[in-house]
Every structure is written in C-alpha cells, then in structure tokens.
Amino acid sequence: MAASPASGKVLPLVLAGGSGTRLWPLSRELYPKQFLRLVGDGTMLQHTLARLEGMDHDDPVIVCNHEHRFIVAEQCREQGVEPGAIILEPAPRNTAPAVALGAMRCLRDDADPLLLVLPADHHIADDNAFRAAVARAASLAGDRALVTFGITPSRPETGYGYILAGEELAGEELAGEDLAGEERSADGRAAAVAKFTEKPNRETAEKLIARGGCYWNSGMFLFRASAYLEELATFRPDIHEACSVAVAGERRDLDFHRPGEAFNECPAESVDRAVMERTKRGIVVRADMGWSDIGTWDALAGALDPDESGNTFEGDVISIDSRDCHLSGRNRLVAAVGLQGLVVVETPDAVLVADRDASQQVAEAVARLRETSRDEHRVHTTDYRPWGHAETLQVGDGFLVKRITVAPGRALSLQMHHHRSEHWIVVRGEAEVVCGDEQFTLAADESTYIPVGTRHRLTNRGPEPLEVIEVQTGSLLSEDDIVRFEDRYARAGDP
C-alpha cells in the first residue's frame, strides 16, 4: 500500500558507493572513506545510521558497490541495524542512477515513501539539528516537491556546489506546482531553488557569499519516490529507462539485491545535474548542523579538535614547533618538527605529505597511480573479507607473509591453489583445519602445512577471533590462484 501523503515517516536511502580519492592514502577503492573511523567512534556509515535514531523511519535501504557488500553488511550488524535492502551497483554510475534504483524498488514493492537520501560519508556535528531539518523537509515535500538541504557557508569554499534561494513566497504554496520563493518560520528557512552553481573558483565563491541567499549544496535530499522518478523520466529518460530494465532484472544474492546488467549501460550523472538543476519543484531547507562532506584532509582536520597551535592528530604523533598541521600516524610514530600548514598521513605502504591548501589535489596523485598500473590507490595492506581480514606483513621473492584474523563462527572457503603452498601458524584462538582428507584442530603455537594442489579450509568455531600467520611460497602468489569448491558467502570471482 502506498504511503500516505500526510505521513512524515521517511525511508532512508543511504548512498555508500563513493571512492573518497581525496582522502588517500587512508581511503582506497576497496575500503573507501565511508567505511573508515575518521571522527569519533564508529565509521562514517555507522554514524549515518546512528543519526536516524529517534526519527520516524522505515528500515534503511543501502546502495553500494558490489565489492563492498560484506563490509556494509558487517558494519550494519555492528551498529545493530537491519537494512530493508542492500542494493549492489554492478558499476559506479554516480548518484542519480543509485537513487533511481532505490526509488524504483520501493514502487515495485507497492510503496511510495518519502525517501531521505543520505550520502554515507558525511560528518554532521549536531544530530538534533539534522533531525529537525528532516522533519521540516518532510512537512514541505508533499507528493511533488523535491527538497534539498542547504548549509550556510562559513567561508568561500571552492570544493562545494552552491544553491541560490528564490524570492519570498507564502508557506502553503511551497509544495505546489510553481515553486518560486521562500518561507520563514520558527523552524528556520525554506526557499524555492532558484539556481545551482557548480564548484566555483574562489572569486566566484566570494561573490556568492557577499550576495547572500546562497547555501552549500549538501547532497542530501528528501522527496516522494514517485516525484523523483517523474522528474528523472522527464529530464533524463535514458537514465530512467536503464534503471527500469535493471530493476526488472534484479536477482537475490544471499541478503543482497543485484540489479540486472542493464545498469552497466546507464549514463553516470549526479542527482543535481540530472534533476535538481532542471526541476521547477525544488526547495532548499537551511540546515545548520555542523555539516562537512569530509572530502579532503583539510576538511577532516576541520572536524577534529585542534591543539593550541592549530594542529590535529590521529594515532602516534609527536609535534614540536609545528602549526596548523594535520598529522596522522596510525601504524608508526610520526614526528613533526617545525612544520606549518601541512598534512602528513602515514600508512604501511604509502605516506602523503601535502600542503593543507592543496588537499583537493590529492585525487591527482591517485590518478597518477592508476596511470602507472600501481595498486596503492586500490588496496590496503589489510584486506577485508566476509570472514574477517588479512594483513600483508612482508613480500619477497617467492614468499608472502600474512596475518589472518577469522571472526568467531566464520570460515574461509574450501579452496585449492595451483601455484603455491601455505604454512599456517596459530597465534591466538583455536583453528579447525581441513587439509585434503584430514580434519583436525590447532591451538596457539601449533602449525600445519598445506601442499600445492590440496583442498583446504580454515574455520573459527570459538568465541574469540582466531589469528593465524600464513606463509605462502610458490611461483604465483596472487588472489587469482584460488579455486573454490564451497563458499558460504557465494563468492565467485572475488576473494
């Protein structure tokens, strides 16, 4: 049954498909920023889900890259959230198609909810102000309006888009056919969208702020599912058609929903460009909630508490006579002496040193890595899997050493390798091992050898994480050399 137009209940549609290239080297393609712990306890995705507490909402629907599906599921489990659905994009196509997938799936289920579209990688300092803004938007959306949330700019930021508000209009007309104006009330300000401006240069940003009546574009939206799809069909019928075919071809994969391959042919476009810049139904609600997209290292530093010299720190850091720096040493000690206005980020396989004012350009370093066919933009030394994670400790000529951590009750696939043997040493916990026709257990300080071509499996049936040191030797030490016979996670081509 379709949702009542008068209902203020929302269905959160969480977009978790971003790549976060400007936060490299901490953010990588296979583990981007929305899954990282950057500000406070919990990851960015978990903060987004926690922010919904206390609101009248349905179970959230999450759209993510298929490579991240088990990370999303595990972080939801840790947060105690049961998603209404996890939709897997076959390929990244920006936000307009991702929202269309969620909206179409709702209509297919004979519902037409108010969709609260939330990127999974934004920081909001004032959750109460966020909830108040959502309630305000829900009261205005009705069946036709498309509401976006605008942030009062605090500086001439060139990394954000801007929304220009329209002229004053009576409140009862805001959800009507012709939305041109603004309403003021005790709840804040709501206005028709007059114009969107893409990321400006500094001079233009300064003029916009001096002009007044403009907001940063937060990338958060609230609208009826059918209203968005009507406008999408009008302005971008190619996106609408590709998503319709993809949703019609959806198949179930464990707890996930895979749209059909037609999605691969869908053009990539943002909600702003596809719909919001063209629609006459747009409303902007001012939402001063301490918002940041944490899109750069400079933005992350702005969300953390600085010391008396303006420095922000993560991990093991010593700072001497340094000012206005962001220093991150999550794996090793970082000692900064006499630095000013720099970002220094240490990871096991890469170190970033950048001017804070140039942190937008970190994405150019990632592009350079792609061009040279390196892997540091894509993978971490720690690889997260549905059963736990594996950390690469050392790589040499013909050998590779990993620390494998298997979560309680989890198991690796029953597998075999054509080109490598493996030696397992249990560091902590008790391992159940299948090796060929044998099955046995190993306690801490015990080990076993897996010859080339032997079927094997590692299982943790205990209540605590299982830690194993794995030494691989052979002519091909690659994840491509895995033949699976059984796998509870239904993985085919991925680890």
Side-chain angles (χ1 to χ4, degrees), residues 422-426 433 446-448 456-458 468-470:
E422 295 175 345
H423 188 188
W424 292 343
I425 306 101
V426 175
V433 176
E446 295 181 334
S447 64
T448 192
H456 58 281
R457 169 180 275 162
L458 183 65
V468 174
I469 298 298
E470 176 182 271

Side-chain angles (χ1 to χ4, degrees), residues 116 127-140 147 149 187 220 222 285-289:
L116 174 60
D127 287 351
N128 289 330
F130 163 79
R131 297 183 189 107
V134 171
R136 177 78 171 127
S139 72
L140 296 171
V147 183
F149 298 85
D187 293 326
M220 302 186 295
L222 191 146
V285 168
R286 184 175 69 184
D288 294 335
M289 56 181 82

Side-chain angles (χ1 to χ4, degrees), residues 211-459:
R211 169 192 182 277
C214 71
Y215 305 95
W216 284 339
N217 182 4
S218 70
M220 302 186 295
F221 307 95
L222 191 146
F223 37 61
R224 192 72 63 185
S226 58
Y228 172 74
L229 293 175
E230 287 170 7
E231 296 296 83
L232 184 66
T234 298
F235 301 117
R236 289 303 302 265
D238 51 347
I239 294 177
H240 189 279
E241 175 63 19
C243 291
S244 296
V245 176
V247 170
E250 179 186 287
R251 64 182 177 86
R252 191 72 179 261
D253 177 4
L254 298 178
D255 293 330
F256 309 105
H257 301 267
R258 289 186 179 272
E261 293 301 316
F263 191 78
N264 291 324
E265 306 304 318
C266 184
E269 191 60 277
S270 67
V271 170
D272 296 318
R273 285 187 176 274
V275 173
M276 296 304 295
E277 293 180 5
R278 308 183 187 196
T279 185
K280 300 299 184 184
R281 306 187 194 181
I283 293 175
V284 56
V285 168
R286 184 175 69 184
D288 294 335
M289 56 181 82
W291 171 92
S292 171
D293 72 346
I294 310 292
T296 65
W297 286 109
D298 186 49
L300 175 58
L304 301 174
D305 294 327
D307 69 359
E308 64 277 4
S309 299
N311 301 305
T312 51
F313 307 109
E314 296 178 287
D316 192 6
V317 174
I318 294 174
S319 174
I320 299 172
D321 195 26
S322 295
R323 302 188 61 84
D324 302 323
C325 292
H326 177 70
L327 307 170
S328 177
R330 297 194 174 200
N331 301 277
R332 289 167 290 183
L333 169 66
V334 170
V337 180
L339 303 184
Q340 184 167 350
L342 294 184
V343 172
V344 180
V345 181
E346 172 273 338
T347 68
D349 61 340
V351 176
L352 171 70
V353 180
D355 191 300
R356 276 185 63 163
D357 291 337
S359 59
Q360 291 275 1
Q361 298 174 254
V362 172
E364 297 177 19
V366 174
R368 182 74 60 86
L369 292 171
R370 287 196 189 100
E371 292 169 1
T372 54
S373 300
R374 299 184 62 136
D375 290 330
E376 288 91 342
H377 70 285
R378 179 170 169 77
V379 297
H380 283 278
T381 54
T382 299
D383 188 8
Y384 293 86
R385 309 287 182 84
W387 42 259
H389 57 270
E391 179 187 1
T392 299
L393 301 178
Q394 189 170 359
V395 180
D397 186 13
F399 76 93
L400 186 151
V401 182
K402 290 186 176 184
R403 178 189 287 114
I404 295 175
T405 302
V406 185
R410 305 290 178 88
L412 282 65
S413 60
L414 180 64
Q415 59 185 255
M416 180 267 286
H417 311 297
H418 289 295
H419 303 283
R420 75 174 187 247
S421 60
E422 295 175 345
H423 188 188
W424 292 343
I425 306 101
V426 175
V427 177
R428 183 161 66 100
E430 186 174 84
E432 179 182 285
V433 176
V434 172
C435 181
D437 295 330
E438 295 183 80
Q439 181 170 324
F440 51 91
T441 59
L442 295 176
D445 296 330
E446 295 181 334
S447 64
T448 192
Y449 174 70
I450 313 294
V452 173
T454 303
R455 294 190 185 200
H456 58 281
R457 169 180 275 162
L458 183 65
T459 300

